């Protein structure tokens, strides 16, 4: 190893010259000495406070006399201090997921000679991750950064809002069906619900998130399905498999697609597979359930009846009335 080091030094010396190399090595040695002195002060401080061991949030113990362990704790505490100092100017975005950098808050407490510490993502990083995950699962861009404070409560939607709050808190196996006219806030409320449901899960990896919750616009689903069939010659069942298996599926504008025998069979397959597996499903539609059945019956009344029968059995229903907020804003 020393031979490799000597060869490296000789190589750098040839390029830089002995004087510049010596200056660089002196600076490095001085920095290391300063870091070592700082760590020694940190260790003395912990011991003077009665702490000789520190405990990971995951349960493992390390000794402060171990140089590596001590340096790890020191860096994370310093990172937390830096984060607190720069918080007003920090967007929380550049360094997400990196321990020891901005966006990580370290909490340290001393109890009976043991130092307990845990690291958390700060609120800004958590919020940024939540917005990213909303986009990942398919929440419409216009609603990703919205909250319940932005949602107008009316007599028509008050029951639906309470239903969403109940659903997020209690996590029932029921389905939800939101029916109402255009521009009544169904998609907006379903988007807010998706965001709240995401908060309930400790999810980190994209694939893990997509297996847990999806938000799907029905027209876009059919468009993508047709493209897959045309280009890759995939069957509808193969394409729909991931939507049949996801733990929570939000289907927006159910019944808005062009109704044909083929599209009706696709709808039945999707609804029936989720019905059999008792997987939670939330639907929004411009129709109440009776109106939906009439809408679907233009292709096949029997198939339409089978779909709506399952929705009636599984769903808690909320109606939104017919007041179009978009037209109201335009008229104003």
């Amino acid at each position: 190893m020393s031979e490799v080091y000597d060869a490296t030094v000789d190589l750098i010396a040839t390029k830089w010259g002995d004087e510049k190399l010596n200056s660089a090595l002196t600076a490095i040695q001085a920095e290391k000495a300063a870091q070592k002195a700082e760590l020694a002060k940190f260790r003395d401080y912990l011991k003077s406070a009665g702490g000789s061991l520190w405990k990971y949030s995951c349960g493992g113990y390390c000794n402060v006399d171990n140089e590596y362990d001590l340096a790890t704790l020191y860096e994370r505490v310093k990172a937390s201090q830096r984060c607190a100092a720069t918080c007003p100017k920090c967007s929380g975005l550049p360094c997400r997921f990196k321990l020891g950098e901005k966006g990580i808050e370290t909490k340290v407490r001393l109890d009976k000679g043991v130092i307990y510490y845990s690291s958390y993502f700060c609120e800004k990083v958590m919020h940024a991750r939540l917005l990213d995950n909303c986009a990942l699962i398919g929440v419409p861009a216009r609603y990703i950064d919205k909250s319940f404070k932005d949602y107008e409560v009316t007599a028509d939607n008050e029951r639906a809002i309470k239903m969403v709050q109940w659903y997020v808190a209690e996590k029932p196996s029921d389905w939800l069906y939101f029916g109402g006219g255009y521009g009544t806030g169904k998609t907006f409320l379903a988007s807010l619900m998706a965001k709240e449901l995401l908060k309930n899960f400790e999810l980190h990896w994209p694939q893990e998130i997509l297996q847990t919750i999806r938000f799907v616009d029905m027209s876009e689903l059919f468009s993508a399905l047709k493209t897959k069939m045309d280009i890759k010659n995939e069957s509808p069942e193969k394409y729909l498999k991931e939507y049949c298996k996801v733990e929570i599926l939000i289907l927006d504008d159910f019944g808005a697609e062009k109704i044909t025998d083929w599209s009706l069979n696709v709808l039945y397959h999707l609804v029936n597979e989720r019905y059999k597996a008792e997987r939670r499903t939330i639907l929004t539609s411009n129709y109440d359930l009776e109106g939906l059945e009439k809408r679907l019956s233009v292709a096949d009344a029997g198939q339409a009846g089978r779909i709506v029968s399952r929705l009636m059995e599984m769903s808690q229903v909320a109606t939104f009335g017919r007041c179009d907020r978009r037209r109201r804003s335009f008229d104003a």
Side-chain angles (χ1 to χ4, degrees):
M1 192 72 179
S2 60
E3 293 176 358
V4 174
Y5 177 79
D6 291 341
T8 304
V9 171
D10 289 342
L11 182 63
I12 296 174
T14 301
K15 187 175 181 179
W16 278 6
D18 289 337
E19 184 177 345
K20 193 172 182 180
L21 173 62
N22 289 334
S23 177
L25 291 176
T26 300
I28 292 172
Q29 290 169 353
E31 183 179 352
K32 285 185 176 181
Q35 290 174 346
K36 195 170 183 179
E38 190 73 16
L39 282 177
K41 289 182 181 178
F42 186 56
R43 180 190 291 115
D44 291 343
Y45 168 76
L46 293 175
K47 287 190 171 183
S48 67
S52 57
L53 294 172
W54 60 276
K55 187 178 186 296
Y56 289 107
S57 56
C58 62
Y61 284 89
C62 295
N63 198 311
V64 295
D65 287 321
N66 180 292
E67 189 172 333
Y68 173 81
D69 294 337
L70 181 69
T72 301
L73 178 60
Y74 177 77
E75 278 304 314
R76 294 186 181 182
V77 171
K78 293 293 286 185
S80 180
Q81 293 172 345
R82 289 195 299 270
C83 189
T86 60
C87 188
K89 301 177 182 178
C90 172
S91 67
L93 297 175
C95 311
R96 75 183 70 175
F97 310 130
K98 293 183 181 179
L99 288 172
E101 295 290 347
K102 288 189 297 183
I104 300 297
E105 181 181 1
T106 301
K107 297 183 184 293
V108 181
R109 66 182 177 86
L110 186 65
D111 184 20
K112 297 179 180 178
V114 178
I115 305 156
Y116 293 87
Y117 107 90
S118 300
S119 292
Y120 306 86
F121 288 108
C122 75
E123 289 184 8
K124 288 183 179 179
V125 170
M126 290 299 291
H127 182 66
R129 291 180 66 188
L130 177 62
L131 300 189
D132 284 349
N133 290 341
C134 284
L136 176 67
I137 66 172
V139 172
R142 68 180 295 114
Y143 300 124
I144 284 178
D145 202 20
K146 300 294 184 182
S147 71
F148 280 99
K149 293 179 180 178
D150 303 305
Y151 193 78
E152 180 185 357
V153 181
T154 67
D156 288 334
N157 63 31
E158 190 172 4
R159 182 173 183 273
I161 294 171
K162 290 180 179 178
M163 190 178 289
V164 165
Q165 293 169 340
W166 162 78
Y167 198 90
V168 171
E170 300 298 328
K171 309 177 185 65
S173 60
D174 305 56
W175 293 16
L176 294 184
Y177 186 89
F178 296 155
Y182 313 114
T184 53
K186 302 180 301 297
T187 301
F188 193 169
L189 186 60
S191 300
L192 296 177
M193 183 178 185
K195 185 184 290 189
E196 292 302 311
L197 289 169
L198 273 172
K199 293 177 184 178
N200 283 342
F201 299 99
E202 290 291 333
L203 303 173
H204 303 287
W205 305 108
Q207 191 59 37
E208 184 183 26
I209 294 167
L210 291 174
Q211 289 171 353
T212 303
I213 182 169
R214 291 283 189 99
F215 189 108
V216 183
D217 178 279
M218 292 304 295
S219 297
E220 292 178 3
L221 177 69
F222 275 96
S223 178
L225 175 56
K226 289 176 181 176
T227 300
K228 287 282 186 179
M229 292 176 64
D230 292 341
I231 297 176
K232 296 188 176 181
N233 199 30
E234 283 188 5
S235 68
E237 291 77 13
K238 183 177 180 180
Y239 177 76
L240 292 173
K241 187 176 181 180
E242 60 188 280
Y243 297 102
C244 292
K245 289 191 171 184
V246 66
E247 185 176 335
I248 301 173
L249 181 63
I250 301 174
L251 300 174
D252 190 37
D253 265 352
F254 194 85
E257 62 284 341
K258 184 178 180 179
I259 304 302
T260 64
D261 287 339
W262 174 78
S263 66
L264 198 58
N265 288 333
V266 170
L267 289 179
Y268 175 75
H269 175 77
L270 180 58
V271 169
N272 191 49
E273 288 300 308
R274 296 192 63 79
Y275 171 82
K276 290 189 296 184
E278 296 185 318
R279 292 194 172 98
R280 290 187 284 172
T281 309
I282 296 99
L283 304 94
T284 78
S285 178
N286 292 135
Y287 307 90
D288 59 20
L289 286 171
E290 184 180 346
L292 178 67
E293 185 168 5
K294 289 179 182 178
R295 160 77 174 159
L296 302 181
S297 293
V298 298
D300 184 332
Q303 195 76 304
R306 284 186 281 273
I307 292 172
V308 174
S309 174
R310 285 160 173 74
L311 296 183
M312 286 180 172
E313 177 187 342
M314 298 297 292
S315 301
Q316 297 280 341
V317 178
T319 56
F320 283 67
R322 294 287 166 184
C323 180
D324 188 337
R325 300 182 188 187
R326 302 185 193 106
R327 289 180 182 272
R328 186 184 64 191
S329 299
F330 179 79
D331 292 339

